[in-house]
Structures are given as C-alpha cells and as structure tokens.
Amino acid sequence: MKKCLSLILSVGLFSACAVAAAKNIKYEQCLAGAEKRYSENWAAECRFLSTEMDKKRMKCRSEPANAIKGFEYCTSRYPSTDSSPKCALPHTQATRVNEKKADAKRVCLEEAKAGL
C-alpha cells in the first residue's frame, strides 16, 4: 500500500512539474515572440524613416526654386539616413517601439499568471 501511495504521489508531483515546465516554456516562447516583433518593428521604422527622407530629398530637388540653391542644399536639408535594422531612431519613434515591446512582455506575464 505504501508503495502504491508513494508511486501515486511521485506521478502527481511529476505531473505538476511537467505542467509548470510547460507553462514556463510557453512564457519563454511568448517573450521570444515579443522580442522578435520588437526587432521587426524597429527595422520597419528604420526603413520607413529612410524612405521618407529619400522622398523629401527628391521632392526638394524637383522644385525649381531649389535648383538655384544647388544639389547640396537638398542633401543637407534631407540627408540620407540609416535604413538598417540597427539604426538610431529618433526619440519619438524609439519610445513608441519600446512601449510596444513593454506591452507585449506585460501580456506574456499576465497570461503566465493566468495560467494560459
């Protein structure tokens, strides 16, 4: 009888540990997803800002009034920006992307606490 009870307790403990491990794995996967989306969002902002600056520079160059000022005028007013995923974003864009990451991590934690 003692062996049966011991085995039942062991299996129950193992099952509880397995459930806890599965929840931890799900939480870690959620965090990894949040990190991936953060990197993707940061890269998208970098590309967007670079494209917008290129458009402004080209528009500047196409305006007849700027032809007199020369090619350098538009280039200095709208310089090429880094479009790589590791660019330095302006404060407002960086804050927005960082807030999205913090929100995603908060959701992961809330789901983990709720047992989802």
Side-chain angles (χ1 to χ4, degrees):
M1 184 68 165
K2 282 187 176 182
K3 273 191 167 187
C4 288
L5 186 55
S6 177
L7 182 60
I8 290 170
L9 290 175
S10 296
V11 171
L13 188 56
F14 175 76
S15 179
C17 289
V19 169
K23 286 181 182 179
N24 189 43
I25 289 170
K26 189 168 182 178
Y27 174 67
E28 292 299 324
Q29 288 173 335
C30 184
L31 289 179
E35 189 65 39
K36 183 177 185 239
R37 284 187 304 278
Y38 166 75
S39 295
E40 291 168 351
N41 289 337
W42 192 279
E45 283 292 324
C46 292
R47 285 189 306 274
F48 175 78
L49 290 175
S50 180
T51 300
E52 289 301 302
M53 193 63 78
D54 290 345
K55 288 178 185 177
K56 289 177 182 179
R57 189 173 45 261
M58 295 306 287
K59 183 179 179 198
C60 177
R61 289 179 184 163
S62 69
E63 293 177 7
N66 294 333
I68 299 168
K69 297 174 186 174
F71 179 79
E72 293 80 24
Y73 170 74
C74 294
T75 302
S76 65
R77 191 158 181 215
Y78 304 106
S80 294
T81 58
D82 182 7
S83 63
S84 75
K86 300 294 182 185
C87 77
L89 290 176
H91 180 71
T92 53
Q93 283 86 356
T95 299
R96 185 174 53 242
V97 174
N98 288 329
E99 286 174 351
K100 285 181 183 180
K101 179 182 178 182
D103 289 343
K105 289 173 81 174
R106 207 173 1 265
V107 168
C108 292
L109 183 59
E110 288 170 6
E111 287 177 353
K113 285 181 179 178
L116 302 176

